[in-house]
Amino acid sequence: SGYQANTGIFEPLVDDRDFVFCDEMASPSLADGVRLSRARAYSYRHDDMDHLEDRLKRSRAARFRVIATDGYFPMTGRVAKLQELYALADKYDAVVVVVSEETGHVSLVIAGDIERGLSADALRIRLRALLGGRRHRTARAEPRSSLA
């Protein structure tokens, strides 16, 4: 179900050295998933990119930074400001997690990689490396220093 997908996404991704930033209007399943992880969890005001950036600036001690949001907020009828989130993620070397409680769909974006022209295979390899897996022998993607 969507609830189970959202509550289970963070545990294999993060630990107590990581920071997760979650929109304060996030769905209950997303908020539960962040709380259940061992990461340091911080909320930011709904759709407030300045507040999120302030939080990101203060997160220098983090091994990884994750920005978590719903793609659509049913309580407000708003769609997440994904382009702005991706820009902040790129600036602060973060990963964006966009979830949908209704469908259970989860998207992980390593900000900047698509704009840099990495192929889908290279992105999968980078994500596997981020999750602690082995790199594929034929990969030609240059690792980012903070994700490698």
Side-chain angles (χ1 to χ4, degrees):
S1 77
Y3 185 87
Q4 291 168 327
N6 294 345
T7 57
I9 186 65
F10 295 101
E11 188 175 3
L13 287 176
V14 295
D15 64 28
D16 60 355
R17 299 172 291 171
D18 306 319
F19 289 28
V20 178
F21 303 92
C22 189
D23 189 294
E24 69 181 2
M25 295 291 290
S27 61
S29 61
L30 179 59
D32 287 349
V34 171
R35 277 192 294 273
L36 291 170
S37 76
R38 292 170 290 165
R40 297 180 191 180
Y42 299 95
S43 65
Y44 60 93
R45 289 187 292 270
H46 180 56
D47 269 351
D48 188 338
M49 298 302 112
D50 292 331
H51 190 232
L52 174 58
E53 184 166 20
D54 182 59
R55 297 278 184 160
L56 288 164
K57 283 179 186 175
R58 297 172 188 226
S59 65
R60 290 187 186 116
R63 180 184 66 149
F64 294 124
R65 292 173 191 86
V66 178
I67 301 169
T69 187
D70 288 274
Y72 171 74
F73 298 92
M75 294 180 66
T76 64
R78 297 175 113 177
V79 176
K81 298 177 180 178
L82 295 179
Q83 293 304 317
E84 293 177 52
L85 287 173
Y86 296 154
L88 284 174
D90 195 36
K91 184 176 180 178
Y92 293 96
D93 203 24
V95 174
V96 177
V97 176
V98 182
V99 302
S100 170
E101 188 171 84
E102 293 80 23
T103 64
H105 183 80
V106 176
S107 298
L108 289 117
V109 175
I110 301 172
D113 284 347
I114 294 168
E115 293 83 4
R116 288 185 184 89
L118 290 180
S119 69
D121 286 337
L123 288 173
R124 271 191 229 93
I125 291 163
R126 296 273 305 269
L127 182 57
R128 199 174 311 133
L130 174 68
L131 298 175
R134 288 181 267 153
R135 291 184 181 271
H136 192 274
R137 289 182 188 157
T138 61
R140 294 195 170 110
E142 289 291 318
R144 281 171 102 168
S145 59
S146 63
L147 295 179

